[in-house]
Amino acid sequence: DAKTTQPPSMDCAEGRAANLPCNHSTISGNEYVYWYRQIHSQGPQYIIHGLKNNETNEMASLIITEDRKSSTLILPHATLRDTAVYYCIVKNYGQNFVFGPGTRLSVLP
Amino acid sequence: DAGVIQSPRHEVTEMGQEVTLRCKPISGHNSLFWYRQTMMRGLELLIYFNNNVPIDDSGMPEDRFSAKMPNASFSTLKIQPSEPRDSAVYFCASSPGTSGRVEDTQYFGPGTRLTVL
């Protein structure tokens, strides 16, 4: 009963923007979109989250479509250190995080 | 600021032995979570605590697993007796608020890689 769908893998050239898509067509009105990433052999790292509006922080930008059925995580200038598995998670406050397989992003030199 | 601290980082033990994993959450955080990650099953929630009280342990695989949180700054996950299929990376995470509040973001520790021979 996965709530999100992500491509299994993506490549991005170093220095270019990495755009990671996520489909969540069954999202409900109170559910937030969270993004985490997991660099090899490390714990998952929080990146960003949002409800309806686009969000930006020092790590990334989150673009949520108007119907909220999909979103895109943007890393504006990808570096080799951004190579990781990126997880898109939809949840309401109080619900547990459910991690799917995510997208394996490879940043290439 | 120190993040979530876990120890040991690596543990190798033999089948049948008791294993204790330790976690120190971020100071001031009210919720603590234990996860297990394997190649086959991905990242799974085992149990979580709110204000040191276990709230949901439905993810604990069987009675061999137990978790405690004696105070706000320390938690343990114990496996007794351990089996080879318990080999995995175990993560601890903490979050600032209790469930349903804005401060729901979880912050993960570096994990403990457990190998049971």
Side-chain angles (χ1 to χ4, degrees):
Chain A
D1 58 342
K3 291 186 176 182
T4 64
T5 303
Q6 299 178 253
S9 64
M10 292 182 62
D11 292 340
C12 176
E14 188 179 16
R16 305 297 294 269
N19 297 287
L20 292 96
C22 180
N23 286 323
H24 31 80
S25 59
T26 60
I27 193 171
S28 66
N30 296 326
E31 290 182 318
Y32 286 70
V33 180
Y34 282 79
W35 283 84
Y36 279 76
R37 73 180 182 184
Q38 188 171 21
I39 297 170
H40 182 62
S41 298
Q42 297 183 20
Q45 178 189 22
Y46 167 76
I47 301 173
I48 199 168
H49 77 284
L51 181 63
K52 296 180 181 178
N53 300 322
N54 298 336
E55 302 287 345
T56 296
N57 62 22
E58 65 278 5
M59 290 183 67
S61 295
L62 173 60
I63 308 298
I64 302 174
T65 58
E66 190 169 348
D67 63 8
R68 304 211 319 125
K69 293 185 176 181
S70 66
S71 61
T72 301
L73 178 74
I74 302 173
L75 308 178
H77 305 286
T79 70
L80 299 179
R81 294 166 61 178
D82 292 321
T83 293
V85 177
Y86 287 77
Y87 300 100
C88 171
I89 302 163
V90 165
K91 70 178 283 299
N92 198 347
Y93 286 133
Q95 293 178 336
N96 294 330
F97 282 92
V98 178
F99 289 80
T103 295
R104 184 173 298 277
L105 175 68
S106 297
V107 180
L108 308 175
Chain B
D1 287 340
V4 175
I5 299 172
Q6 291 188 246
S7 64
R9 293 295 309 278
H10 302 274
E11 176 81 26
V12 180
T13 190
E14 293 188 346
M15 182 174 62
Q17 296 298 307
E18 177 180 297
V19 175
T20 299
L21 311 181
R22 296 172 177 80
C23 175
K24 177 179 171 56
I26 294 172
S27 178
H29 282 194
N30 295 321
S31 297
L32 182 140
F33 307 80
W34 282 101
Y35 290 83
R36 177 174 68 176
Q37 186 172 38
T38 61
M39 289 292 292
M40 291 294 295
R41 300 174 66 89
L43 194 61
E44 305 173 282
L45 177 66
L46 299 178
I47 185 172
Y48 78 91
F49 297 81
N50 268 354
N51 295 316
N52 314 335
V53 176
I55 301 300
D56 182 359
D57 65 354
S58 59
M60 296 285 262
E62 48 196 277
D63 292 346
R64 297 185 296 106
F65 286 69
S66 62
K68 294 182 179 180
M69 192 165 186
N71 57 63
S73 59
F74 183 67
S75 176
T76 59
L77 178 67
K78 185 176 294 186
I79 308 173
Q80 166 64 17
S82 59
E83 296 183 2
R85 60 192 168 123
D86 302 330
S87 297
V89 182
Y90 291 81
F91 291 103
C92 176
S94 68
S95 71
T98 55
S99 62
R101 294 182 56 184
V102 172
E103 302 88 352
D104 210 20
T105 300
Q106 294 182 18
Y107 299 88
F108 285 75
T112 295
R113 182 173 295 276
L114 173 66
T115 302
V116 183
L117 303 175

